[in-house]
Amino acid sequence: MIKYLKILNDKAQISNHPPAGGLIFEILFFMFYLILKELFYALTGALAIFIIMEIFWPGIVLAYININWVLIFWLVIGIVILITNSKWQITIIK
């Protein structure tokens, strides 16, 4: 009996029925979505740390890093996550 991998609710499940959209596409899309989410979390933490450091020690971060590029990258990733989440109806239940 052939088993198929089904990705639903941020978890991989094994099913007896083949997926409608193709297994490779679902796995690649799910991996892309997870990587974007983790990158978004990392950039959120980095921005928070940079802002806190700038509050306590003015000029310590801005002397070395241009935060504008980090903020733009953070916003673009956030928008892509929102679009993919609404387009593909990915619901995360933990």
Side-chain angles (χ1 to χ4, degrees):
M1 174 175 268
I2 299 174
K3 299 285 185 181
Y4 296 96
L5 183 64
K6 181 178 178 184
I7 299 166
L8 181 66
N9 295 336
D10 206 18
K11 297 177 184 170
Q13 300 172 348
I14 295 178
S15 171
N16 291 331
H17 305 291
L23 182 63
I24 299 297
F25 176 73
E26 287 187 16
I27 291 173
L28 288 177
F29 176 75
F30 185 68
M31 289 173 55
F32 174 72
Y33 179 74
L34 287 179
I35 289 170
L36 280 182
K37 268 187 8 180
E38 292 298 324
L39 195 56
F40 182 77
Y41 294 151
L43 288 175
T44 302
L47 282 172
I49 290 171
F50 292 160
I51 290 171
I52 291 170
M53 288 174 69
E54 278 295 319
I55 289 172
F56 289 114
W57 300 286
I60 194 165
V61 176
L62 293 177
Y64 299 103
I65 300 172
N66 188 359
I67 296 180
N68 294 334
W69 288 107
V70 177
L71 183 61
I72 290 170
F73 195 49
W74 177 76
L75 285 173
V76 167
I77 289 177
I79 290 169
V80 170
I81 288 174
L82 288 175
I83 290 171
T84 55
N85 202 3
S86 65
K87 183 177 179 182
W88 294 93
Q89 297 298 319
I90 297 173
T91 55
I92 300 169
I93 299 172
K94 297 203 178 193

